[in-house]
Amino acid sequence: MKNIPTELLRTFVTIRDLGGFTSAGEFLGRSQPAISLQIKKLESLLDTQIFLRGTSLELTEDGNYLYQAAKDILKINDRVVTRFSGEHVSGRVRLGIPHDLELAFLPKALRNLARTHPNIMVEVDGDISKVIYQRFQKHHYDVCLVMEPEKQQEDRDIRDFRIDQLTWVMNNNNLTEFDIIPLVTYPQGCIYRSMLEGSLEQAGKPYRIAYTSPSLLGIVSAVEEGLGLTAMASSVAPPHLSKAIETECLPNLGSVSIGLYYRERELSLATRHVLDFLHAGLANLTPPPILGRR
């Protein structure tokens, strides 16, 4: 039975993630010839070719399989090592996240993180996704989680995002037959608001903005009092409010992508650990029951 040295797998994954042998060597503190030799050893050990020969770093079919498997192996390896040395990892991690996603899974993810890495401090900043991403681009955050319209082609790692259906959210006493649909929304720039307005305009449904608030508490309170309807990703919609994907007078709002953004080359050890727990939280983000179409 062959054993694959984890340092070979880590070198391979780093080459793929950073897009080059030279970049991987700089990141890992090894020369380019040493990096090339490690890949030759890995290919010899597995008796296969990982990279297509040529000017690009395109992977072969076996290379694509190995890349996914290597990440899983390294994740398990790092989790075991962290289990016995986690308390020695320290640092500050700046995280930007929309308010509703912050409440949906972040407390549980950070609670689990604190148990393993008590010396990692996470600074959380909440706002609408558009503002969060703009701040991330200006290096205000190490990691951010934002909500965007679903993309036709997604080039991120499957662990970095999930697709979620938007749902109408309303008070239990709200009627769904309106001459003019009253909306409770975040300010301009919020993805919920833009998708609400776009869907209603495309369906030819008249609407009015009945209430606007920059806070999740304000939005939920207004809906609870029956001031109007709002929209949320199904996985973060409050369970005590009524939800419907669409009705006879309310159109389907479509889907959104909930995803992480970070700079692979700039990740500190503390940030990598935070990212692992965010990946787990995102994977476990499940929607409450939606009572069908009304």
Side-chain angles (χ1 to χ4, degrees), residues 20-41:
F21 282 64
T22 301
S23 298
E26 292 174 353
F27 183 81
L28 296 171
R30 296 188 178 94
S31 66
Q32 195 273 339
I35 294 293
S36 298
L37 181 60
Q38 285 190 311
I39 294 302
K40 289 180 180 179
K41 288 182 178 179

Side-chain angles (χ1 to χ4, degrees), residues 86-102:
E87 63 182 21
H88 303 299
V89 178
S90 63
R92 180 185 68 141
V93 179
R94 300 165 301 169
L95 172 66
I97 187 170
H99 293 298
D100 45 357
L101 291 173
E102 178 182 355

Side-chain angles (χ1 to χ4, degrees), residues 32 167 249 259:
Q32 195 273 339
T167 180
C249 71

Side-chain angles (χ1 to χ4, degrees), residues 102-170:
E102 178 182 355
L103 294 178
F105 80 92
L106 190 59
K108 182 177 180 180
L110 294 186
R111 180 191 66 193
N112 294 335
L113 171 74
R115 289 173 177 171
T116 308
H117 306 288
N119 294 323
I120 294 179
M121 178 180 66
V122 182
E123 294 182 357
V124 181
D125 185 24
D127 212 309
I128 62 175
S129 290
K130 181 179 180 180
V131 173
I132 290 293
Y133 188 66
Q134 288 173 344
R135 291 175 183 165
F136 171 74
Q137 291 179 309
K138 296 178 180 178
H139 293 258
H140 288 192
Y141 308 125
D142 302 299
V143 182
C144 74
L145 183 65
V146 298
M147 194 177 295
E148 306 168 290
E150 183 180 2
K151 301 177 182 178
Q152 292 297 322
Q153 292 186 332
E154 179 64 74
D155 57 2
R156 283 180 291 177
D157 188 299
I158 189 65
R159 297 177 303 163
D160 287 337
F161 72 97
R162 58 162 293 166
I163 304 302
D164 204 347
Q165 169 75 45
L166 282 191
T167 180
W168 289 95
V169 179
M170 63 198 79

Side-chain angles (χ1 to χ4, degrees), residues 37 73-74:
L37 181 60
I73 293 170
L74 291 173

Side-chain angles (χ1 to χ4, degrees), residues 48-70:
T48 190
Q49 184 176 320
I50 298 173
F51 292 104
L52 293 173
R53 302 311 181 203
T55 57
S56 68
L57 287 175
E58 186 177 355
L59 297 177
T60 63
E61 183 178 349
D62 284 347
N64 278 308
Y65 173 82
L66 180 62
Y67 176 66
Q68 297 299 328

